C-alpha cells in the first residue's frame, strides 16, 4: 500500500523539485553545465530522476557542442565557396584592351541571365572608364546559342550603343550561325565579323 | 577582485524592453548614447553567457538619462524586470506553477546567484505566512539593478499568487541608484 507523505516531506519534495527547475531554467537558456545535486547517501526517489536528468542534459550539451562545431565548419566552407564563386565570376568576365579605344570581351561557357548582367555591367563600366569606341564580344568559346543567349547579346549591344560605342560579335561557329538562321533570330542590331582578328583589323583601320 | 557578471538574457531583455518604452525621439537618444562596446556585445550575445555587469548598468543609466522624470524611470525599470518573467523559458514557466510565494522568497538568494556572478547577494531577513523582508546587499555599482529586480519579483509573484501581491523597496532613488543595501518588503 502507498505510504502517504507527511506535510514536511511534501514540502521537502516540492523544494527539491523547485531547486531542480531553477537549475533547469539555466538549461533553457542554453547552459548545459548544470548538474542537479544527487545525494548518494540519501535514498530519496528523486535522486534517480535527477541523475537521469543530469545524464540527459550532459548528452544534450555534447550534441549542441557538436552541432555548433558543424555549423561553424559549414559556415567556413560556405565562405570559401562564395569566395571561389566571386573569383570565377571575375575570371569569367575578362575585359581586354586590344588597342586604344578597342575593348574585347571573350565569352566562354554558358550564358545565363545572372552572368549576362554581370558581363554587361563590367563591359559598360570599362567602356565608360576607358572612353572606348569599339567593343568586340568574341564568342569563339560558346558552343550553344539559343534565343535567350541571343537576347542577352542584343541587350548588351543596345546598352553599348547608348554609351556611344559600337559593338561587334566575332567568332560565331557555323553550327551557331545555322541555329540562328534556323530559329529565325534577328541579329540586326549587332555587327558581326568572322574572327576577332578581322574585327580588330577593321576597327584599327577606322581609328583616327 | 573579479568584475561582477550577469547573464546575457537579462542584458538582451533589458535592451529590448527599455528601447520599446522610448518614444521615437527618446529612442534615437537611447541608441546614440550606447557605447560601441555594448553594441558589439549585443550583436553576438548568448542568452546563457556571462557578461560584464557594466553593460547592464550602461543600458539602465542611458534609459534614466533619456527619461529624466523619476516616475517614468521607475516605471520603466519595473516593466523591464517584468519582461524577464514574460521572456523566460518553459522550465521557468513550470517553476511558477510549482512555487508558492514562501518558497519563491526562500529561493531568492538562489535566483540571484543564477543570474548574477559576484557584486552583491540577497539575504532573507524574515519570512512568514503572508509576507517577508529581505535585502539586496553589497550591490555597489549596480545602478538601478535593485528596481529591475523588484519588477521581476513582483511579476513572478503575480504569476505564482495572482492576487494581492505587494513588493516595496527602500534605499533606491534615481539620485542614489546603487545604495549599499536595498530593503524589500513583500506581502501577499
Amino acid at each position: 500500500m502507498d505510504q502517504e507523505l507527511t506535510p514536511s516531506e511534501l514540502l521537502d519534495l516540492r523544494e527539491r523539485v523547485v531547486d531542480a527547475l531553477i537549475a533547469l531554467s539555466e538549461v533553457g537558456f542554453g547552459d548545459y553545465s548544470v548538474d542537479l545535486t544527487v545525494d548518494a547517501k540519501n535514498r530519496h526517489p528523486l535522486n534517480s530522476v535527477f541523475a537521469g536528468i543530469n545524464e540527459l542534459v550532459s548528452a544534450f550539451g555534447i550534441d549542441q557542442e557538436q552541432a555548433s562545431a558543424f555549423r561553424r565548419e559549414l559556415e567556413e566552407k560556405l565562405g570559401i565557396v562564395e569566395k571561389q564563386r566571386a573569383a570565377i565570376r571575375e575570371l569569367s568576365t575578362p575585359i581586354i584592351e586590344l588597342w586604344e579605344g578597342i575593348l574585347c570581351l571573350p565569352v566562354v561557357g554558358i550564358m545565363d541571365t545572372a552572368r549576362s548582367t554581370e558581363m554587361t555591367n563590367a563591359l559598360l563600366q570599362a567602356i565608360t572608364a576607358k572612353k572606348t569606341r569599339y567593343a568586340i564580344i568574341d564568342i569563339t568559346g560558346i558552343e550553344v546559342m539559343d534565343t535567350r543567349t541571343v537576347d542577352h547579346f542584343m541587350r548588351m549591344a543596345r546598352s553599348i550603343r547608348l554609351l556611344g560605342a559600337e559593338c561587334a560579335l566575332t567568332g560565331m561557329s557555323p553550327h551557331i550561325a545555322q541555329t540562328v538562321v534556323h530559329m529565325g533570330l534577328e541579329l540586326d542590331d549587332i555587327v558581326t565579323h568572322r574572327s576577332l582578328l578581322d574585327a580588330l583589323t577593321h576597327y584599327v583601320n577606322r581609328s583616327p | 577582485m573579479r568584475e561582477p557578471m550577469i547573464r546575457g538574457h537579462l542584458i538582451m531583455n533589458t535592451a529590448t524592453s527599455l528601447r520599446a518604452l522610448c518614444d521615437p525621439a527618446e529612442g534615437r537618444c537611447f541608441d546614440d548614447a550606447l557605447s560601441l562596446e555594448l553594441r558589439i556585445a549585443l550583436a553576438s550575445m548568448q542568452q546563457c553567457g556571462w557578461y560584464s555587469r557594466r553593460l547592464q548598468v550602461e543600458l539602465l543609466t542611458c534609459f534614466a538619462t533619456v527619461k529624466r522624470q523619476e516616475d517614468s524611470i521607475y516605471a520603466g525599470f519595473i516593466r523591464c524586470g517584468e519582461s524577464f518573467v514574460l521572456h523566460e523559458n518553459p522550465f521557468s514557466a513550470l517553476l511558477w506553477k510549482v512555487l508558492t510565494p514562501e518558497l519563491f522568497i526562500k529561493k531568492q538568494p538562489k535566483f540571484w546567484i543564477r543570474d548574477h556572478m559576484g557584486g552583491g547577494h540577497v539575504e532573507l531577513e524574515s519570512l512568514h505566512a503572508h509576507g517577508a523582508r529581505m535585502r539586496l546587499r553589497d550591490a555597489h555599482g549596480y545602478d538601478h539593478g535593485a528596481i529591475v529586480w523588484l519588477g521581476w519579483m513582483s511579476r513572478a509573484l503575480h504569476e505564482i499568487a495572482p492576487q494581492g501581491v505587494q513588493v516595496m523597496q527602500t534605499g533606491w532613488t534615481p539620485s542614489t541608484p546603487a545604495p549599499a543595501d536595498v530593503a524589500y518588503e513583500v506581502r501577499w
Side-chain angles (χ1 to χ4, degrees):
Chain A
M1 203 177 134
D2 288 343
Q3 195 183 339
E4 286 215 1
L5 295 173
T6 64
S8 73
E9 282 173 332
L10 201 59
L11 190 67
D12 174 63
L13 189 67
R14 189 188 276 261
E15 196 166 341
R16 278 167 176 266
V17 170
V18 164
D19 284 341
L21 285 173
I22 292 174
L24 286 174
S25 65
E26 293 180 49
V27 177
F29 286 121
D31 183 351
Y32 303 106
S33 64
V34 166
D35 197 23
L36 303 181
T37 312
V38 179
D39 183 2
K41 289 175 193 166
N42 188 337
R43 295 183 64 190
H44 196 285
L46 276 181
N47 274 344
S48 52
V49 176
F50 287 178
I53 290 173
N54 283 342
E55 259 180 55
L56 275 176
V57 171
S58 165
F60 193 56
I62 291 167
D63 280 352
Q64 285 293 309
E65 220 166 88
Q66 281 175 345
S68 301
F70 285 142
R71 203 177 304 126
R72 276 196 300 275
E73 202 177 315
L74 191 63
E75 278 168 4
E76 272 172 31
K77 282 184 179 163
L78 284 173
I80 292 169
V81 168
E82 188 45 50
K83 273 183 195 165
Q84 286 173 340
R85 194 176 287 166
I88 291 167
R89 263 203 305 267
E90 208 159 290
L91 289 171
S92 70
T93 318
I95 296 167
I96 308 152
E97 189 169 20
L98 296 176
W99 201 266
E100 196 183 332
I102 305 173
L103 285 184
C104 175
L105 171 66
V107 182
V108 178
I110 297 163
M111 286 281 284
D112 57 19
T113 308
R115 193 175 173 210
S116 159
T117 308
E118 275 168 25
M119 277 183 176
T120 308
N121 287 343
L123 192 56
L124 294 182
Q125 275 176 21
I127 286 169
T128 312
K130 295 181 189 294
K131 296 185 173 63
T132 302
R133 277 177 294 147
Y134 307 112
I136 304 167
I137 302 168
D138 183 61
I139 58 164
T140 311
I142 288 208
E143 289 171 11
V144 183
M145 194 186 267
D146 56 12
T147 48
R148 200 175 291 175
T149 314
V150 171
D151 187 51
H152 290 319
F153 286 126
M154 299 292 280
R155 284 168 190 272
M156 211 183 276
R158 276 184 218 127
S159 304
I160 290 167
R161 267 214 309 278
L162 283 173
L163 293 181
E166 200 174 299
C167 179
L169 201 61
T170 66
M172 193 182 288
S173 69
H175 175 68
I176 289 179
Q178 273 181 324
T179 310
V180 168
V181 172
H182 181 70
M183 292 169 84
L185 301 172
E186 298 289 337
L187 285 175
D188 295 347
D189 285 351
I190 306 179
V191 178
T192 54
H193 289 272
R194 194 162 47 184
S195 67
L196 177 59
L197 182 63
D198 280 359
L200 182 61
T201 311
H202 176 74
Y203 289 130
V204 168
N205 288 336
R206 279 176 60 182
S207 291
Chain B
M1 203 174 118
R2 273 187 70 182
E3 186 183 14
M5 309 288 268
I6 185 168
R7 288 281 192 188
H9 64 88
L10 294 186
I11 303 177
M12 291 158 82
N13 264 327
T14 300
T16 313
S17 64
L18 293 183
R19 182 65 177 77
L21 291 170
C22 294
D23 64 31
E26 289 170 345
R28 279 192 294 277
C29 293
F30 183 77
D31 293 341
D32 291 346
L34 301 183
S35 69
L36 187 63
E37 183 197 4
L38 178 55
R39 287 179 219 202
I40 291 170
L42 278 171
S44 60
M45 200 163 268
Q46 303 280 316
Q47 285 197 317
C48 64
W50 288 105
Y51 299 89
S52 168
R53 200 179 65 185
R54 279 184 296 109
L55 303 176
Q56 176 79 342
V57 170
E58 184 182 334
L59 281 168
L60 298 172
T61 309
C62 281
F63 182 78
T65 310
V66 166
K67 283 290 180 185
R68 293 187 193 150
Q69 301 229 333
E70 192 168 324
D71 288 352
S72 307
I73 295 169
Y74 183 85
F77 291 153
I78 292 291
R79 293 275 294 277
C80 173
E82 288 175 345
S83 77
F84 297 164
V85 179
L86 301 174
H87 294 98
E88 289 268 15
N89 58 56
F91 290 113
S92 307
L94 193 56
L95 199 51
W96 310 138
K97 291 194 168 90
V98 176
L99 278 166
T100 60
E102 294 94 321
L103 208 43
F104 175 71
I105 296 299
K106 192 176 166 187
K107 295 295 170 188
Q108 281 304 298
K110 207 163 198 161
F111 277 118
W112 179 268
I113 289 167
R114 182 191 66 166
D115 296 335
H116 302 83
M117 197 192 290
H121 61 279
V122 174
E123 272 179 20
L124 192 58
E125 287 184 341
S126 65
L127 176 63
H128 47 89
H130 295 286
R133 280 187 64 87
M134 57 188 179
R135 278 180 185 277
L136 172 59
R137 288 196 189 277
D138 304 328
H140 310 282
Y142 193 6
D143 292 12
H144 311 297
I147 300 304
V148 176
W149 190 253
L150 188 148
W152 173 79
M153 267 198 296
S154 306
R155 180 69 204 196
L157 272 168
H158 183 77
E159 295 288 321
I160 298 161
Q163 281 172 348
V165 173
Q166 263 191 316
V167 188
M168 289 161 292
Q169 64 85 29
T170 45
W172 175 91
T173 65
S175 53
T176 49
D181 269 23
V182 177
Y184 296 103
E185 177 88 38
V186 189
R187 287 186 207 141
W188 58 86

